[in-house]
Amino acid sequence: MAVRAVRGAVQLERDEAGHMDEQVSELLTAILERNELTADDLISVWFTATPDLHSDFPAAAARKLGIVDVPLICAQELDIDGAMPRVVRVLAHIESDKPRSEIAHVYLGAAAALRKDIAQ
């Protein structure tokens, strides 16, 4: 079993806790499903949010999905002029037998523009 990293992101329409929970849950669910993973395959998950998001911690959505015994951390993205606003990014470390080339990185909605080279 190898350690792999999975990336993902979603752009929120608005900075509201319920909306963040919904969108981050959708992103995490898609990452798990597209990579045929369960919560037991997760080693750790990093969440970042752009500086314009203040309503909640993105990791709270993971806990609500039942990801309760995995280390999670939230951090703030760099405040770069011209960067896409209201974005939550995910970097999940996983255990998987899949080769790196078969890992599905998930960029939902407008966030797909962030990484056209790896967005699925």
Side-chain angles (χ1 to χ4, degrees):
M1 189 77 59
V3 174
R4 300 284 184 225
V6 183
R7 289 291 315 271
V10 63
Q11 183 183 38
L12 305 185
E13 294 175 15
R14 58 195 174 279
D15 184 22
E16 295 175 2
H19 180 62
M20 180 181 289
D21 181 62
E22 175 185 291
Q23 293 297 298
V24 173
S25 293
E26 182 179 337
L27 176 60
L28 290 172
T29 299
I31 287 171
L32 293 172
E33 288 176 356
R34 293 182 194 180
N35 288 288
E36 301 172 334
L37 301 169
T38 68
D40 288 338
D41 299 315
L42 296 172
I43 297 169
S44 64
V45 183
W46 281 78
F47 296 89
T48 64
T50 51
D52 52 2
L53 294 175
H54 307 277
S55 62
D56 203 357
F57 294 100
R63 298 291 184 223
K64 291 177 185 172
L65 283 177
I67 301 171
V68 295
D69 62 350
V70 176
L72 308 175
I73 193 164
C74 296
Q76 187 176 76
E77 278 289 329
L78 296 172
D79 191 10
I80 304 297
D81 288 338
M84 184 180 286
R86 300 177 317 282
V87 175
V88 173
R89 291 174 173 85
V90 173
L91 172 62
H93 299 97
I94 63 168
E95 292 181 321
S96 176
D97 288 326
K98 289 185 178 190
R100 188 177 299 150
S101 61
E102 291 181 19
I103 298 297
H105 304 282
V106 180
Y107 289 76
L108 299 179
L114 294 171
R115 290 298 306 264
K116 292 179 184 177
D117 57 326
I118 63 173
Q120 310 262 321

